[in-house]
Amino acid sequence: MTRLDAEAMVTSNDGLADDPLADDRPAGGDRPADDRPAGDDVVLRLAGVVKTFPGVRALDGVRLEVRAGEVHCLLGQNGAGKSTLIKVLSGVYRPDDGDIVWQGRHVHLANPQAAMKAGIATIYQELDLVDDLSVAENIYIGQEPHRAGFVRRGEMRRGAGEILTRLGHPEIPVGAEVGRLPAAAKQIVSMGRALSRDAKLLIMDEPSAVLAQDEVSNLFRVVRDLTAQGIAVIYISHRLEEVREIGDRVTVLKDGRTSAVNLDARSTPTRDLVSRMTGRTIEYVFPPRPPEPTRRGEPLLLVDRITRRGEFEDVSLTIHSGEIVGIAGLVGSGRSELLETIYGARRPDAGRVLSNGRPLRPGDVAAAVRAGLGMAPEERKSQALLLGEPVYRNITLATFRRFAAAGFTRSARERAAAAAVADGLQLRPRDVDRAVGTLSGGNQQKVVVGRWLLGDVSLLLLDEPTRGVDVGARAELYQMIRRLADDGVGILLVSSEVPEVLGLSDRVLVMREGRLVHQASAEELDEDSVLDLVMAGSLLEGDRV
Amino acid sequence: TSNETKNDGGQTKVSEGKNAAPGKNVTIGFSAPAADHGWIGAITANAKAQAAKYSDVKLLPVDAGKDAPAQIAAIESLIQQKPDAIVLLPNDGAQLTAVARKAMEAGIVVINLDREFSDPAASFALIKGDNYGMGVSAGHYIGRKLKGRGDAVIAEVAGIDTLQLTKDRSKGFADTLATYGLRVSNRVAADFTVPGGQAVTANLLQAASKIDAIWNHDDDQGVGVLAAIKQAGRKEFFMVGGAGSLDAMDHIAAGDTPLEATVTYPPTMASSAISLARLAVQGKGLDDLVELQVPKLIVLQSETVTRSNVDRYRPLGFKS
Amino acid sequence: MKRTLGLVAVLVALLVVGAVTRPDIFGDTSKLWQNELTVLTLASAIGIVTVGMTFVMIGGGIDLSVGALLALASVWCTTVATQSYGVGGVIFSALAVGAGAGFVNGLLISYGRLVPFIATLAMMVAARGLAQKISGSRTQINHVSLINDLASEKILGVPYIVLVFAVVVALGWVLLNRTTFGRRTVAVGGNAEAARLAGINTRRHTVLLYALSGLCCGIAALVVVAQTTSGSNTNGDLYELNAIAAAIIGGTALAGGRGTIVGSLVGVLIFSQIANLFTVNNLPTETQRIVNGAIIVGAVLIQQFRLADLRRRPKLST
Amino acid sequence: MKRTLGLVAVLVALLVVGAVTRPDIFGDTSKLWQNELTVLTLASAIGIVTVGMTFVMIGGGIDLSVGALLALASVWCTTVATQSYGVGGVIFSALAVGAGAGFVNGLLISYGRLVPFIATLAMMVAARGLAQKISGSRTQINHVSLINDLASEKILGVPYIVLVFAVVVALGWVLLNRTTFGRRTVAVGGNAEAARLAGINTRRHTVLLYALSGLCCGIAALVVVAQTTSGSNTNGDLYELNAIAAAIIGGTALAGGRGTIVGSLVGVLIFSQIANLFTVNNLPTETQRIVNGAIIVGAVLIQQFRLADLRRRPKLST
Ligand SMILES: Nc1ncnc2c1ncn2[C@@H]1O[C@H](COP(=O)(O)OP(=O)(O)OP(=O)(O)O)[C@@H](O)[C@H]1O
Ligand SMILES: Nc1ncnc2c1ncn2[C@@H]1O[C@H](COP(=O)(O)OP(=O)(O)OP(=O)(O)O)[C@@H](O)[C@H]1O
Ligand SMILES: [Mg+2]
Ligand SMILES: [Mg+2]
């Protein structure tokens, strides 16, 4: 149980000054950027790439070199510029400056079509699917097989089916409307599209953020398949263990600059990677649990046999003040629906929810909020953020009424309170007047969770709170969650990362196919036993809570 | 349009008497609703043409805009320019009354054209068509032909139902038919447009499988009414029109459609209104009347144009 | 699909109302057939316009200029000069004017970056003015009898214009559901950013959508000219509102990405059938209006009845 | 902010056009003042309606019934029975009818789950019909002189109705920018699901928004009654389209979540100033219309000129 160590903070250049790779200035095109002589197998080379947005220099001279057949990982804090970099590569943004050499030729990728034509396919961080089209249509969007303008539907469905099979998901119906699929299935479709393009370079921006563990290994199988065919892959993730498992080489971005290039993905020590990303050293840490289980008196929240047909059934649970309860389970096991139902965003078919002994009106979020509940939902863009509004108004979305006097809002106070939250969560850039839509994905996520750190919730429901959040900020977030619990708030946490559930919670519930199948204190469980539980074939009566 | 008749000769007129002699110069403001209907278009055209015939008249036309408040503003800006007279065809009589009174109080002679103010004091004189009378004329024509047939199916294609004038026309029609023991059995309202006339008539012809007579309030929409009748291939009835467009008169003369007659609502009243305004400002009366001033109220006859007299009326017909 | 079934149920309900109130018409097969042909005939022009509107709306836009373009095309194609080229000249000029003006809409929106509402509103105002200028606010009689025959002549008892309507609907269905153009329309309207990222030229596509809508206005103008034997600058009045309403009733989303041709067709037929019911029952205008408001609300409520399961998707409620 | 500056530039450009074409009016301070008061007076009713519309649109909706509600309220408050209660009765009935009908809109949309376009379209049709029924299609003269005085009396040279307009705009601004109600409106329109999950009662708020819009229609009805000294079922014709257009020109997003009162105000003034320029220059209607279309396009293009930097945000262009 390590705490953040202020003394251990070092800037990347101080700590690694002797490292020849630690070059954060734009590299001249003439200078080889590798310890080895650049072989013929280098397919992509970037040098000095600059991209500015109003008020932000998102990329400030970036170098990158990718070889055919390798998995090249991009690491960096939230807001470091990873997504911006890949958008430059896929023709979405035009760089202000810099050099892109693709397959030995200088290229201008003026628009996404140009990048696609060049053989670069991308899976973006934010899902880029059309909800109203079918799975097959989404996979082939923009390059539908056709004859004289007529879509060859049979061919398209067949092709889509093959691709999905290759991705290990033959069960996803190619004719289904994508909007009706769960998030994980959407991610698969998004990957399917990238695969359909016969790319020579495949870029994946945090593909694992919405995947559960079993899906990630499936994804890795596909990636290995591709690299074996000589296709290069750029892989972005905040999970270092994934980088270790799948990556060949690593490039690290920090504040829009390259702080290290072409590190070996397997052998570089975690400490080095983290310090190059953040300029300080952090271990992947959870705050210590309080020594005694602090269960006293009546539960804060009592969920009594609630059911929503087709989603979850007969779920009962309790949460006490000061307790963090985690729910583990596969994507699609109904955890999000359970949380939303407790919160009143969905109406249960049966059962009831009591807060402090009093029943909550079913299907009434406002009533739940009045009773002291708060929820950070799963999908930040569709469920949580007003993208065009400033950060501070997003942070105070649930509390602006408490800042107001006689119905008149008091923006200055809101701003100050929001700035404090932003500081605590290391929001980057730390400007609370900026439109939240211009933040990087991970920073947006911090805003979603930060909303409930203000004001006085007594029970917090967190659905994948660290999705897309970098290692450093994650540690901060865990601290804040624990501090809330220490202050007496009850917390119900859903996460697809089993270590997170185990590390942060006092008590763990395991959910499978809409039922709670196991309950234990976190110390009694380890990762393997949880995985066994969530994937077990049939339900055993005795297992149930 | 179908006819090349140069009909300007019938739409304006300058008397041959002593009133024709040029007098004091007269500036006349003119305001009428925007012309997107043949009849209104003819009103504006006639006023301009009539004013051009007098060497002592200067016309200041202002567009009335799209609704009553806009026309009020237009009249107010006109008052600022201090014309001698204003000829005003209001978007809505009652709504323009206050501003007309204001003009009168400013010493401007207001000639109220067609749509009547709610206060007689708001105008120096009123010249208008007879909406109720149109219904009466149409009622008499149809009544005479169907007299004694109490089961006769009589249909009415009205104009815009939200307007008072439509109510008046329908009332005159119903009242007159009643004197013959007849009544309207099917009534539809179009919107003074050709497609409106076509659409409601197509439905009307479905509603009534046998009809004896139709009165259509407006010859503009009548183009559509006749088209629908032709498309349905119905011939068992006769039809009376309204307003007196050139197109309608051509059909009456040719006898190629069920349209046998039309009852007039002449846009030439705009020409007359200009003449009245000039005379009023110059302090002259009507030549053939004894009085020294023009009359306070002139209501035009709604005349019935049939095949027998259509040649006389053709010059008065306006292009729809 | 379910949604369309609900709509068809509404249409059937309207026919039942007809049968109850006017059994003499709705109970007699041949009279009913005649009556429904009238309903279809009157639905033709607005229906064709609605097909174009449906494409624009699915593509995430809106076209307020349809009524004005119809008027402009009708006036243009009935000018004396045009008529002297015979039926070919009339047809060509109507289609060219409609598609051309629609093309301008598309350019303003795609490349001028105007909001569709404003660009097409400006076009609506300007096109009506132009139509007025060309026609001198007069109704222009059409003398090309081949055009007028479209409304009066029949084939197997069905007026030609109904056939034109049917062909446009069929082509629209194929275009939307079976071609890359149609699928891309859904993509552009459903998620313009995703469509762009997937390599679709969204701007060019948008231009084509508005040109298509304009083309439909040109076709509808010919239908109106045939029906009314004339062209007029007052033609197509309020068609924009009616077409949008019919499309929305038929399940097209104002926000784009969702909609069907069949739904729009049924939406148009519902409105046309309501108007027909009012006339055959001889209702006074003010009552018509009040009842009309209630029917619209009722129709949508009936149609939503089966949709309880869809409600959870937040998109639907907006 | 920048956007509004661009709009103000458009307004100034229009005044310059006035100065060039009619130096006698626009060059003479007192005549210019009189003329601009006329512009403001004419903008009052539609401007008040636009304030309500702006709230509805920012809240993610649309209100097609505004013109009809204005007509209904104007007819209701000028019925003989109402007038006999004096000025209080007239004012109360106008506001109550407007807000009440708006409330019904809100219920249909929030709890009936109707699409706003359809619900308010139905209300538009029904309210016009009702207005017609109540008034018997007659224009009803208002005899309560205190109301009529609003248009004819002035304070410091400014007509009372202009002051009413100013007060409504000021209150609207405060409500949108300084109150929790305004904040909730932006939230509901920007992302209804997010607002709901943050504990905002989005349904109740939607009802309030439409009631507010209806209330504005009631106020505007009083203004029109004062101006025309009468109530009529033809009042407020096409106000829905004009109000939406003014709001959009002023930067309000049709999709919700974005918009300003000042922008809408300037949008209304631009339209009103254009109409005034046409009148003082005595342009024929058809030319007016053609030019109007061009001006609208030009105004938006000018206004977008400074916005190059925002263009990258795809959301903004919709
Ligand atoms: N459209 C935009 N407008 C303004 N600023 C932007 C925009 N897009 C990105 N930025 C800024 O550019 C910087 C880099 O963002 P980017 O999305 O590339 O980060 P990232 O490395 O992908 O972070 P994360 O791990 O959170 O996804 C951030 O400071 C962000 O706020
Ligand atoms: N492959 C699938 N195809 C169709 N429906 C699925 C599929 N997987 C899950 N579902 C349904 O989707 C719902 C759950 O979706 P969701 O992914 O939000 O679950 P979850 O338990 O919240 O998982 P997570 O929190 O990890 O996202 C369930 O009702 C489930 O029946
Ligand atoms: Mg990113
Ligand atoms: Mg979930």
Side-chain angles (χ1 to χ4, degrees):
Chain A
M1 303 296 142
T2 331
R3 287 208 152 254
L4 279 183
D5 189 350
E7 269 93 310
M9 281 195 182
V10 285
T11 72
S12 58
N13 283 347
D14 288 348
L16 302 152
D18 54 335
D19 188 338
L21 309 180
D23 182 357
D24 65 351
R25 276 180 309 274
D30 50 332
R31 207 185 125 197
D34 194 2
D35 49 346
R36 293 180 287 171
D40 289 347
D41 56 347
V42 172
V43 287
L44 175 74
R45 196 192 300 278
L46 302 188
V49 173
V50 174
K51 173 72 196 173
T52 51
F53 293 111
V56 187
R57 215 169 163 81
L59 298 180
D60 191 12
V62 169
R63 284 167 58 188
L64 178 68
E65 182 198 280
V66 181
R67 296 203 188 105
E70 78 164 336
V71 176
H72 196 106
C73 296
L74 266 184
L75 283 180
Q77 274 178 295
N78 295 131
K82 304 178 296 294
S83 297
T84 306
L85 180 64
I86 65 111
K87 282 186 181 164
V88 165
L89 274 178
S90 47
V92 179
Y93 294 148
R94 260 173 263 181
D96 302 334
D97 196 7
D99 206 21
I100 304 176
V101 179
W102 168 244
Q103 295 186 314
R105 238 174 271 154
H106 291 265
V107 289
H108 280 285
L109 301 167
N111 51 41
Q113 284 116 295
M116 257 169 242
K117 244 189 218 129
I120 302 175
T122 309
I123 301 170
Y124 297 91
Q125 182 171 10
E126 306 295 342
L127 290 176
D128 53 356
L129 301 173
V130 180
D131 280 353
D132 306 280
L133 289 177
S134 72
V135 169
E137 286 168 339
N138 263 290
I139 287 176
Y140 286 102
I141 182 176
Q143 48 157 32
E144 306 84 354
H146 62 92
R147 185 188 291 139
F150 288 87
V151 179
R152 307 178 66 160
R153 301 181 347 130
E155 191 175 310
M156 191 165 84
R157 297 169 73 99
R158 223 169 14 252
E162 278 162 19
I163 288 169
L164 290 173
T165 309
R166 204 167 133 203
L167 284 168
H169 281 278
E171 84 285 357
I172 297 179
V174 293
E177 210 176 281
V178 158
R180 295 169 165 274
L181 295 183
K186 287 184 182 174
Q187 185 69 42
I188 308 289
V189 175
S190 212
M191 286 193 277
R193 178 191 300 170
L195 285 187
S196 76
R197 310 243 139 151
D198 289 328
K200 299 190 191 65
L201 171 66
L202 184 62
I203 306 174
M204 302 181 161
D205 195 353
E206 300 194 30
S208 58
V210 292
L211 298 181
Q213 233 131 344
D214 59 324
E215 294 289 349
V216 174
S217 40
N218 198 6
L219 169 68
F220 286 174
R221 187 180 51 72
V222 176
V223 169
R224 288 199 188 95
D225 220 46
L226 291 170
T227 50
Q229 300 166 31
I231 294 172
V233 173
I234 296 179
Y235 187 88
I236 300 177
S237 174
H238 290 293
R239 300 181 189 166
L240 291 182
E241 65 280 7
E242 291 178 8
V243 172
R244 302 263 181 239
E245 189 181 342
I246 192 76
D248 293 311
R249 298 190 300 166
V250 177
T251 292
V252 183
L253 291 186
K254 179 171 185 315
D255 297 336
R257 289 161 175 258
T258 314
S259 66
V261 287
N262 304 342
L263 303 176
D264 187 89
R266 265 162 275 266
S267 64
T268 312
T270 300
R271 201 184 135 273
D272 285 2
L273 287 177
V274 171
S275 76
R276 280 171 198 273
M277 278 162 62
T278 63
R280 55 183 194 179
T281 51
I282 299 169
E283 308 261 322
Y284 194 55
V285 284
F286 295 100
R289 292 193 183 88
E292 295 275 299
T294 50
R295 291 175 205 174
R296 350 162 239 274
E298 280 296 296
L300 263 184
L301 181 82
L302 193 149
V303 175
D304 186 18
R305 305 179 67 105
I306 59 171
T307 294
R308 258 178 78 84
R309 269 180 278 290
E311 289 172 1
F312 54 84
E313 244 167 90
D314 205 15
V315 174
S316 298
L317 56 86
T318 58
I319 300 169
H320 288 80
S321 170
E323 189 183 28
I324 302 179
V325 177
I327 305 183
L330 293 183
V331 169
S333 55
R335 298 163 302 166
S336 297
E337 288 75 8
L338 175 62
L339 250 59
E340 290 180 15
T341 309
I342 293 173
Y343 190 53
R346 296 170 188 243
R347 198 186 286 271
D349 295 327
R352 41 180 207 149
V353 178
L354 290 92
S355 162
N356 280 318
R358 252 172 298 152
L360 285 176
R361 216 182 126 204
D364 186 349
V365 176
V369 171
R370 274 197 300 277
L373 270 69
M375 182 178 82
E378 181 175 24
E379 288 182 36
R380 54 181 171 251
K381 284 221 159 136
S382 65
Q383 294 185 295
L385 294 174
L386 307 174
L387 292 173
E389 288 289 289
V391 168
Y392 85 88
R393 290 196 177 185
N394 274 284
I395 291 181
T396 60
L397 185 63
T399 44
F400 63 83
R401 257 170 301 176
R402 273 180 245 156
F403 287 97
F408 289 89
T409 50
R410 292 201 276 197
S411 300
R413 286 165 160 237
E414 288 181 38
R415 235 186 232 109
V421 171
D423 279 338
L425 292 173
Q426 303 183 346
L427 196 73
R428 225 175 306 260
R430 192 92 28 113
D431 171 9
V432 293
D433 286 321
R434 170 177 276 274
V436 86
T438 68
L439 294 185
S440 75
N443 283 300
Q444 292 181 3
Q445 184 67 32
K446 295 179 200 167
V447 172
V448 172
V449 180
R451 174 177 302 161
W452 297 103
L453 305 180
L454 271 184
D456 41 25
V457 284
S458 60
L459 186 90
L460 196 49
L461 311 172
L462 298 173
D463 198 350
E464 311 279 3
T466 59
R467 177 175 284 179
V469 174
D470 69 44
V471 182
R474 203 176 269 236
E476 295 292 339
L477 200 55
Y478 294 152
Q479 302 277 350
M480 295 183 92
I481 293 172
R482 177 50 77 186
R483 224 173 296 138
L484 280 178
D486 291 345
D487 291 346
V489 175
I491 288 163
L492 184 57
L493 168 80
V494 164
S495 172
S496 296
E497 292 180 49
V498 178
E500 184 170 288
V501 176
L502 292 177
L504 191 57
S505 318
D506 299 314
R507 195 150 52 91
V508 175
L509 309 175
V510 180
M511 226 172 141
R512 187 178 63 218
E513 291 167 16
R515 287 172 185 274
L516 282 183
V517 293
H518 192 75
Q519 155 159 227
S521 105
E523 274 104 354
E524 294 165 21
L525 289 167
D526 61 18
E527 212 176 316
D528 288 334
S529 58
V530 171
L531 285 178
D532 286 348
L533 277 168
V534 300
M535 302 209 222
S538 66
L539 292 172
L540 298 174
E541 275 301 305
D543 265 347
R544 260 201 270 166
V545 181
Chain B
T1 51
S2 56
N3 198 301
E4 288 305 303
T5 313
K6 176 89 175 115
N7 65 351
D8 193 48
Q11 304 270 308
T12 57
K13 182 175 173 186
V14 175
S15 77
E16 277 125 43
K18 62 177 181 353
N19 277 351
K24 159 183 176 236
N25 277 345
V26 181
T27 309
I28 303 175
F30 176 79
S31 174
D36 43 15
H37 181 254
W39 187 85
I40 297 268
I43 283 278
T44 305
N46 285 346
K48 288 183 179 164
Q50 179 74 12
K53 293 214 158 157
Y54 294 113
S55 57
D56 51 1
V57 167
K58 179 172 169 245
L59 195 71
L60 279 180
V62 296
D63 202 274
K66 60 177 176 32
D67 57 9
Q71 194 174 23
I72 290 171
I75 299 299
E76 269 172 357
S77 71
L78 198 54
I79 295 174
Q80 304 282 325
Q81 304 178 43
K82 300 203 186 312
D84 300 300
I86 293 177
V87 173
L88 178 54
L89 173 55
N91 259 312
D92 181 307
Q95 299 196 315
L96 269 287
T97 302
V99 74
R101 203 187 300 121
K102 195 169 161 190
M104 287 287 284
E105 282 159 10
I108 299 168
V109 171
V110 175
I111 305 294
N112 184 189
L113 181 55
D114 197 37
R115 297 182 195 163
E116 194 170 353
F117 295 142
S118 55
D119 174 3
S123 67
F124 182 83
L126 164 65
I127 177 166
K128 63 170 189 172
D130 187 1
N131 284 306
Y132 185 84
M134 268 178 95
V136 172
S137 300
H140 278 307
Y141 186 90
I142 290 172
R144 282 192 200 108
K145 290 194 68 162
L146 298 180
K147 186 161 47 187
R149 290 189 38 206
D151 60 341
V153 178
I154 298 172
E156 182 182 1
V157 183
I160 299 177
D161 251 350
T162 53
L163 298 179
Q164 172 70 28
L165 65 91
T166 300
K167 286 225 134 78
D168 292 343
R169 291 179 188 184
S170 289
K171 183 154 195 314
F173 189 52
D175 289 352
T176 310
L177 286 181
T179 63
Y180 294 94
L182 298 170
R183 57 175 199 88
V184 175
S185 41
N186 292 77
R187 183 179 182 283
V188 289
D191 47 13
F192 282 153
T193 66
V194 177
Q198 195 267 345
V200 296
T201 309
N203 274 327
L204 170 71
L205 296 177
Q206 291 306 320
S209 51
K210 193 193 146 292
I211 296 176
D212 294 293
I214 295 180
W215 180 41
N216 164 46
H217 286 206
D218 179 71
D219 287 337
D220 278 311
Q221 71 187 18
V223 175
V225 175
L226 288 175
I229 291 169
K230 176 156 183 273
Q231 283 146 20
R234 297 273 289 265
K235 295 197 176 67
E236 79 276 9
F237 51 80
F238 66 95
M239 174 171 149
V240 177
S245 76
L246 198 54
D247 185 59
M249 294 194 196
D250 286 343
H251 282 305
I252 291 168
D256 55 353
T257 64
L259 186 67
E260 283 186 0
T262 187
V263 291
T264 62
Y265 197 85
T268 51
M269 66 175 82
S271 312
S272 304
I274 294 292
S275 298
L276 286 176
R278 171 177 171 271
L279 292 175
V281 172
Q282 292 175 345
K284 299 175 185 164
L286 289 185
D287 266 356
D288 294 331
L289 301 187
V290 182
E291 287 75 18
L292 297 180
Q293 263 295 5
V294 297
K296 172 86 183 145
L297 171 64
I298 299 175
V299 181
L300 304 177
Q301 299 281 353
S302 180
E303 293 150 79
T304 307
V305 180
T306 60
R307 195 165 187 180
S308 59
N309 63 10
V310 65
D311 288 333
R312 265 193 329 115
Y313 281 96
R314 239 209 199 116
L316 297 179
F318 61 94
K319 293 189 191 174
S320 43
Chain C
M1 196 43 214
K2 271 188 192 164
R3 194 169 185 118
T4 312
L5 280 186
L7 277 176
V8 173
V10 171
L11 201 52
V12 172
L14 288 176
L15 290 178
V16 171
V17 170
V20 171
T21 52
R22 286 295 301 260
D24 55 325
I25 296 176
F26 287 81
D28 171 337
T29 328
S30 94
K31 276 195 183 161
L32 178 62
W33 168 243
Q34 282 309 320
N35 188 55
E36 293 310 305
L37 277 184
T38 305
V39 170
L40 279 172
T41 312
L42 291 179
S44 295
I46 181 75
I48 292 169
V49 167
T50 304
V51 169
M53 182 70 85
T54 304
F55 273 90
V56 169
M57 286 174 66
I58 293 177
I62 197 161
D63 189 351
L64 296 182
S65 69
V66 288
L69 294 192
L70 191 160
L72 181 61
S74 82
V75 165
W76 204 302
C77 79
T78 51
T79 54
V80 179
T82 310
Q83 289 194 33
S84 64
Y85 288 100
V87 63
V90 172
I91 291 178
F92 174 79
S93 58
L95 302 187
V97 167
F103 188 72
V104 172
N105 277 335
L107 289 182
L108 287 175
I109 291 161
S110 269
Y111 296 94
R113 298 191 180 261
L114 291 185
V115 191
F117 191 96
I118 294 295
T120 57
L121 178 78
M123 177 59 83
M124 158 178 138
V125 177
R128 283 247 180 246
L130 194 57
Q132 213 175 332
K133 191 139 208 157
I134 292 174
S135 67
S137 296
R138 279 172 222 284
T139 304
Q140 302 184 144
I141 309 291
N142 170 47
H143 299 291
V144 178
S145 56
L146 275 175
I147 298 283
N148 290 347
D149 287 352
L150 284 179
S152 43
E153 299 295 310
K154 298 181 178 184
I155 180 165
L156 297 174
V158 179
Y160 273 101
I161 54 175
V162 174
L163 292 181
V164 172
F165 181 26
V167 168
V168 169
V169 168
L171 288 180
W173 188 90
V174 170
L175 190 61
L176 180 61
N177 295 295
R178 289 287 178 267
T179 68
T180 57
F181 180 87
R183 300 292 84 196
R184 289 175 186 189
T185 302
V186 177
V188 169
N191 188 341
E193 185 63 8
R196 198 174 72 91
L197 294 181
I200 293 175
N201 188 337
T202 52
R203 291 192 173 183
R204 192 182 59 197
H205 196 86
T206 301
V207 174
L208 291 179
L209 283 176
Y210 286 91
L212 176 66
S213 172
L215 181 68
C216 287
C217 296
I219 301 173
L222 291 171
V223 168
V224 170
V225 168
Q227 277 176 306
T228 63
T229 68
S230 61
S232 155
N233 61 330
T234 60
N235 278 340
D237 195 29
L238 290 186
Y239 269 33
E240 51 282 353
L241 208 59
N242 294 332
I244 297 170
I248 291 183
I249 290 246
T252 303
L254 201 49
R258 201 156 36 84
T260 62
I261 297 294
V262 176
S264 293
L265 169 68
V266 182
V268 168
L269 292 183
I270 285 178
F271 279 110
S272 191
Q273 185 66 58
I274 291 176
N276 174 261
L277 277 183
F278 285 149
T279 308
V280 298
N281 281 299
N282 223 347
L283 285 193
T285 320
E286 56 265 36
T287 316
Q288 279 189 23
R289 293 198 170 168
I290 299 172
V291 177
N292 212 342
I295 292 184
I296 294 173
V297 170
V300 180
L301 286 179
I302 291 181
Q303 180 221 107
Q304 281 182 339
F305 198 64
R306 302 168 136 267
L307 286 183
D309 53 332
L310 282 179
R311 282 193 192 157
R312 273 168 215 148
R313 290 176 57 196
K315 273 269 161 178
L316 283 182
S317 55
T318 23
Chain D
M1 194 44 214
K2 273 187 191 165
R3 194 168 184 121
T4 313
L5 280 185
L7 279 176
V8 172
V10 170
L11 201 51
V12 171
L14 289 176
L15 290 179
V16 171
V17 170
V20 171
T21 53
R22 285 295 301 262
D24 55 325
I25 295 177
F26 287 80
D28 172 336
T29 328
S30 90
K31 275 196 183 159
L32 178 61
W33 168 244
Q34 281 309 321
N35 188 57
E36 293 310 304
L37 278 183
T38 307
V39 171
L40 281 171
T41 311
L42 275 181
S44 296
I46 181 78
I48 292 168
V49 167
T50 306
V51 169
M53 182 71 85
T54 305
F55 273 91
V56 169
M57 286 173 68
I58 294 177
I62 198 161
D63 188 351
L64 296 182
S65 69
V66 288
L69 293 193
L70 190 158
L72 181 60
S74 82
V75 164
W76 204 301
C77 79
T78 51
T79 54
V80 180
T82 309
Q83 289 193 35
S84 63
Y85 288 101
V87 63
V90 172
I91 292 179
F92 174 80
S93 58
L95 303 188
V97 167
F103 188 74
V104 173
N105 277 335
L107 289 182
L108 287 175
I109 291 161
S110 266
Y111 296 93
R113 299 194 180 257
L114 291 185
V115 191
F117 191 96
I118 294 298
T120 58
L121 178 78
M123 176 59 82
M124 160 177 133
V125 177
R128 282 241 182 252
L130 195 56
Q132 205 177 331
K133 194 140 205 159
I134 291 173
S135 68
S137 298
R138 272 172 234 280
T139 304
Q140 302 184 146
I141 311 291
N142 170 46
H143 298 290
V144 179
S145 56
L146 275 174
I147 298 283
N148 290 347
D149 288 350
L150 284 180
S152 45
E153 300 295 310
K154 298 180 180 185
I155 181 164
L156 296 174
V158 180
Y160 273 101
I161 52 176
V162 174
L163 292 180
V164 171
F165 179 26
V167 169
V168 169
V169 169
L171 288 180
W173 188 89
V174 170
L175 190 62
L176 181 61
N177 296 295
R178 290 282 179 270
T179 70
T180 54
F181 182 89
R183 193 66 76 74
R184 275 197 285 271
T185 305
V186 175
V188 169
N191 188 340
E193 180 69 359
R196 191 171 75 100
L197 292 181
I200 294 173
N201 189 335
T202 52
R203 289 191 174 183
R204 193 183 56 196
H205 194 78
T206 301
V207 174
L208 291 180
L209 283 175
Y210 285 91
L212 176 67
S213 172
L215 181 68
C216 287
C217 296
I219 301 173
L222 290 172
V223 167
V224 171
V225 167
Q227 277 177 304
T228 63
T229 69
S230 60
S232 154
N233 58 0
T234 59
N235 278 338
D237 194 29
L238 289 187
Y239 270 32
E240 51 282 353
L241 208 59
N242 294 330
I244 296 169
I248 291 183
I249 289 248
T252 303
L254 201 50
R258 199 159 41 82
T260 64
I261 296 294
V262 176
S264 293
L265 169 67
V266 183
V268 168
L269 292 183
I270 286 178
F271 279 111
S272 190
Q273 185 65 58
I274 292 176
N276 174 261
L277 277 182
F278 286 148
T279 308
V280 299
N281 282 299
N282 233 330
L283 288 189
T285 325
E286 56 265 36
T287 318
Q288 279 190 23
R289 292 193 172 168
I290 298 172
V291 177
N292 213 342
I295 292 183
I296 294 173
V297 170
V300 181
L301 287 179
I302 290 181
Q303 179 221 110
Q304 282 183 338
F305 198 64
R306 301 167 136 267
L307 287 183
D309 52 336
L310 281 179
R311 283 194 190 151
R312 274 170 213 141
R313 292 173 56 196
K315 272 274 157 172
L316 286 181
S317 56
T318 21

